[in-house]
Amino acid sequence: MNDHSVEIYDIIRPAISTAGVYYFTTDSGINYEVRFGRRQDNILHATIVFGVTNDEFDGEEYSLTNRGETYRVMNTIVAVVKMFMQQHPKMVTYEFTGLAKDDEPEDKLTSRINLYKRYLPLIFENDWKFDYSRGNTIVINRIK
């Protein structure tokens, strides 16, 4: 089960809040980026992507590593999303996509999306509704 009491890593915030890119480094030296992309057709809809930026992961930039740091990494991502939400209180939609790993079929829920589902209630509380009907994409909408 998740240990939500685990500390978070130090977060490097963007110099300009609208930039929407945050960074942190784990104790094992893995560099993570959390990026908020605004939709062109709706600036109040953000797609959230995050993962490793170290060169050693050879282009698989939006991956999570298995170095025993998962809880602390995910708790840090929760903190980053909450920071972004505080800076952007008018946002109405957020979206996460769990890309399939090489050994996972595209037509089934990925291990990443299952991991995200466990942490989303820590970010989005009563005023939000989760839409799990889009396969490996979860859309979270503010309840009006």
Side-chain angles (χ1 to χ4, degrees):
M1 196 64 197
N2 304 339
D3 183 357
H4 305 301
S5 64
V6 173
E7 289 184 41
I8 64 171
Y9 294 106
D10 290 334
I11 299 165
I12 301 169
R13 302 170 191 230
I16 303 169
S17 67
T18 56
V21 183
Y22 298 73
Y23 299 95
F24 63 92
T25 302
T26 68
D27 292 339
S28 67
I30 303 298
N31 301 313
Y32 279 87
E33 173 185 86
V34 182
R35 181 178 295 272
F36 296 82
R38 302 284 189 101
R39 298 279 295 261
Q40 282 188 325
D41 61 341
N42 182 357
I43 62 167
L44 299 179
H45 181 149
T47 300
I48 304 168
V49 292
F50 58 88
V52 174
T53 61
N54 296 53
D55 290 339
E56 71 185 273
F57 293 96
D58 218 18
E60 182 60 26
E61 63 182 315
Y62 294 114
S63 65
L64 281 169
T65 66
N66 189 10
R67 297 200 178 167
E69 300 171 324
T70 302
Y71 295 135
R72 195 166 174 194
V73 166
M74 291 305 297
N75 283 335
T76 304
I77 292 167
V78 166
V80 167
V81 175
K82 285 183 172 187
M83 282 180 198
F84 183 86
M85 291 173 73
Q86 286 178 338
Q87 291 286 322
H88 303 86
K90 303 265 189 225
M91 297 297 292
V92 295
T93 304
Y94 290 93
E95 181 177 316
F96 288 83
T97 299
L99 301 175
K101 296 177 187 174
D102 290 339
D103 60 345
E104 292 180 317
E106 292 287 335
D107 60 342
K108 296 201 174 177
L109 289 182
T110 65
S111 58
R112 290 177 182 160
I113 211 69
N114 286 322
L115 177 65
Y116 302 166
K117 284 170 76 171
R118 293 195 318 241
Y119 281 85
L120 291 177
L122 297 176
I123 302 169
F124 302 99
E125 297 173 3
N126 299 332
D127 297 342
W128 297 89
K129 179 181 167 197
F130 300 93
D131 177 357
Y132 298 112
S133 69
R134 301 178 189 199
N136 285 315
T137 297
I138 300 172
V139 178
I140 305 101
N141 290 296
R142 183 185 304 273
I143 298 171
K144 309 251 185 246

